[in-house]
Amino acid sequence: DAGVIQSPRHEVTEMGQEVTLRCKPISGHNSLFWYRQTMMRGLELLIYFNNNVPIDDSGMPEDRFSAKMPNASFSTLKIQPSEPRDSAVYFCASSLEIIKGDTQYFGPGTRLTVL
Amino acid sequence: AQKVTQAQTEISVVEKEDVTLDCVYETRDTTYYLFWYKQPPSGELVFLIRRNSFDEQNEISGRYSWNFQKSTSSFNFTITASQVVDSAVYFCALRSNTGNQFYFGTGTSLTVIP
């Protein structure tokens, strides 16, 4: 079975450029989560969706960040304009969410470097 | 408030030694779920185990075992006869029954020396 798929795996861009990260959750999973991991702050939840609807985006750093989930099998996280401090590994995770406490399964992550 | 504390930042052991990774959690919920994830040097986060708050039975899976004690709010993870492939960062996480958010600890970096 395919796990959570993220693309690209690595992204290097220059400050000011737009960056789009993509995620395909596990088929049948109803909840999707975006995390950011840095050495300084560890794992931070940015936003999560349930049935394609954003439920909590309080972790989104600022207006430069936006996330969408147009359908059950696809989500994007966009940074515009990007800044060097956005450099991090961005993880997407999904869970069934039919019952509470479902396990989150993580994608391989996208390593973003903003020069 | 929900919180997970992994007090051990880094641990080094020699291959074949046993090692225990500590996890202490805080929650006011009566129903909650605890998890352990492994992050090897390749970077992905690998799910290891999920326990609910009503099941305090310890679990063993091969060389891995978990000790869940509600009385001390701990969910410790032991690796028996450690191997070099166990070198990774291990995260403990808490999820309440009332929300979707995971609360992750800061992780424990385990290095197994051959």
Side-chain angles (χ1 to χ4, degrees):
Chain A
D1 290 339
V4 176
I5 299 171
Q6 290 187 248
S7 65
R9 294 293 307 274
H10 302 272
E11 177 81 26
V12 180
T13 190
E14 292 188 346
M15 183 175 64
Q17 296 297 306
E18 177 179 298
V19 175
T20 299
L21 311 181
R22 297 173 177 79
C23 174
K24 177 179 169 55
I26 293 172
S27 178
H29 281 193
N30 298 320
S31 294
L32 183 139
F33 306 77
W34 281 101
Y35 288 87
R36 177 172 70 176
Q37 185 179 36
T38 61
M39 288 295 292
M40 291 297 295
R41 300 173 70 91
L43 270 164
E44 304 174 273
L45 177 65
L46 300 177
I47 185 172
Y48 71 87
F49 297 82
N50 199 36
N51 294 320
N52 312 338
V53 177
I55 302 300
D56 185 349
D57 65 354
S58 59
M60 296 285 263
E62 47 198 273
D63 292 345
R64 297 184 298 105
F65 285 68
S66 63
K68 294 182 180 179
M69 192 164 186
N71 57 60
S73 59
F74 184 64
S75 176
T76 59
L77 178 67
K78 187 177 293 187
I79 308 173
Q80 165 63 18
S82 58
E83 296 182 2
R85 59 193 168 119
D86 302 329
S87 297
V89 179
Y90 290 81
F91 287 100
C92 176
S94 70
S95 69
L96 270 172
E97 202 49 28
I98 293 174
I99 59 173
K100 292 294 185 180
D102 269 344
T103 300
Q104 290 186 9
Y105 295 93
F106 284 77
T110 295
R111 182 173 295 276
L112 173 65
T113 302
V114 183
L115 303 174
Chain B
Q2 323 274 2
K3 186 180 178 182
V4 174
T5 301
Q6 294 180 257
Q8 304 150 307
T9 305
E10 295 180 0
I11 300 176
S12 291
V13 298
V14 177
E15 200 171 19
K16 296 184 183 177
E17 287 184 347
D18 299 347
V19 58
T20 295
L21 309 182
D22 297 334
C23 173
V24 174
Y25 61 92
E26 295 176 29
T27 181
R28 292 179 180 172
D29 294 331
T30 55
T31 302
Y32 51 90
Y33 304 84
L34 297 164
F35 302 79
W36 276 95
Y37 286 84
K38 174 182 180 180
Q39 188 173 37
S42 51
E44 71 272 24
L45 277 158
V46 180
F47 164 73
L48 295 178
I49 190 172
R50 167 184 180 268
R51 303 294 285 177
N52 72 57
S53 52
F54 296 110
D55 184 1
E56 283 193 77
Q57 225 175 4
N58 292 332
E59 178 144 346
I60 299 174
S61 176
R63 296 183 296 105
Y64 294 174
S65 62
W66 291 269
N67 184 352
F68 176 27
Q69 294 202 351
K70 288 178 76 170
S71 59
T72 55
S73 297
S74 64
F75 186 43
N76 296 338
F77 173 29
T78 297
I79 302 174
T80 303
S82 59
Q83 299 176 2
V84 172
V85 294
D86 296 327
S87 296
V89 179
Y90 291 86
F91 291 93
C92 181
L94 165 72
R95 187 176 189 180
S96 76
N97 198 41
T98 55
N100 287 324
Q101 190 166 345
F102 268 42
Y103 298 87
F104 281 89
T106 50
T108 297
S109 178
L110 173 67
T111 300
V112 180
I113 304 165

